[in-house]
Amino acid sequence: GVRACRRREAKQGFGESAVPMATKGKHLIIATGGTGGHFYPALAIALEHERQGGVVTLLVAGHNTARHLETARKAGLAAFACSAPRPPGGLLGRVAFPVQFLRACLGARRLIKRLRPDLVLGMGSFACVPVCLMAARARVPLFLHEGNAMVGRANLFLSRRARLLAASLPLVPGQKCRCPTRLTGMPLRPEILRVAAIPCDRAKTGESFGFTERKPVLLVFGGSLGAEFLNGVMTRVPALLGDHAGRLQ
């Protein structure tokens, strides 16, 4: 996988002068998986790191592993499946979890020994925990990425072993993150950036959604653990606003 990535660099014309010294020759492992909210920012980081002359390997776990591996390989990235058991629910799950987790950690340790990364990035969720733990145990520099304002349990658990947590949003104060944090924003794929750069006619776009320019448009969005809460609140908004609800769209 590493040699294949380096062959791709040569074909794409990464010369000595084109490779920034900060990333030249660095092999980055990105531990990701689970939902698209963890995987697609990892994909954006991987593509940018390769563009800057680095080497990337994605280690993917979770219930969408097959689809994520296919997407990564279509993008020309080295990617491998790994194991990461979900936190247990019932009694049987709690009994089986220690064995499953130990097996996942041993598999992650073998991959890290074989791939020999210079640094490891964990993208949050249970899917990245075994790889990140074994990276820290092997004294490979560990970094984390958090996509929410509330740091997830996996990142909180791993933060005591990480050098830095990169945050997409300003973090809610008072959280027990054990490593330094830095606001970096959400990594976006080139496809999204290209679409964002296309000039947009506000009036025509509004008409396509049935909006009129006479009323302001209220956009509500959210994800992860906040999605259910927002959906529930928005169903009650018209009643709360009363006659004022008709002024918005």
Side-chain angles (χ1 to χ4, degrees), residues 40-82:
Y40 286 103
L43 187 69
I45 294 170
L47 292 171
E48 178 62 19
H49 187 64
E50 278 211 334
R51 188 189 70 79
Q52 294 187 20
V55 177
V56 184
T57 303
L58 292 177
L59 298 184
V60 184
H63 58 282
N64 290 313
T65 295
R67 186 170 62 187
H68 290 162
L69 287 176
E70 181 182 4
T71 301
R73 288 166 182 166
K74 283 182 178 178
L77 297 167
F80 302 96
C82 60

Side-chain angles (χ1 to χ4, degrees), residues 113-189:
K113 282 186 175 181
R114 178 158 61 93
L115 295 168
R116 299 172 63 189
D118 295 298
L119 60 161
V120 169
L121 172 64
M123 298 300 293
S125 90
F126 73 96
C128 77
V129 172
V131 170
C132 291
L133 275 180
M134 293 300 99
R137 188 178 179 85
R139 300 186 182 279
V140 178
L142 174 63
F143 299 85
L144 303 172
H145 178 267
E146 177 57 56
N148 299 311
M150 291 290 293
V151 181
R153 287 178 296 176
N155 276 343
L156 284 177
F157 172 69
L158 293 167
S159 65
R160 69 189 70 183
R161 298 171 175 84
R163 297 196 178 187
L164 180 77
L165 182 141
S168 291
L169 300 166
L171 297 178
V172 174
Q175 299 182 74
K176 295 180 180 179
C177 186
R178 306 290 183 84
C179 67
T181 64
R182 182 178 300 171
L183 182 62
T184 59
M186 177 65 78
L188 297 177
R189 286 168 286 155

Side-chain angles (χ1 to χ4, degrees), residues 21-39:
M21 291 303 294
T23 59
K24 178 183 174 183
K26 296 291 185 182
H27 180 200
L28 168 66
I29 279 182
I30 305 179
T32 186
T35 64
H38 298 289
F39 174 76

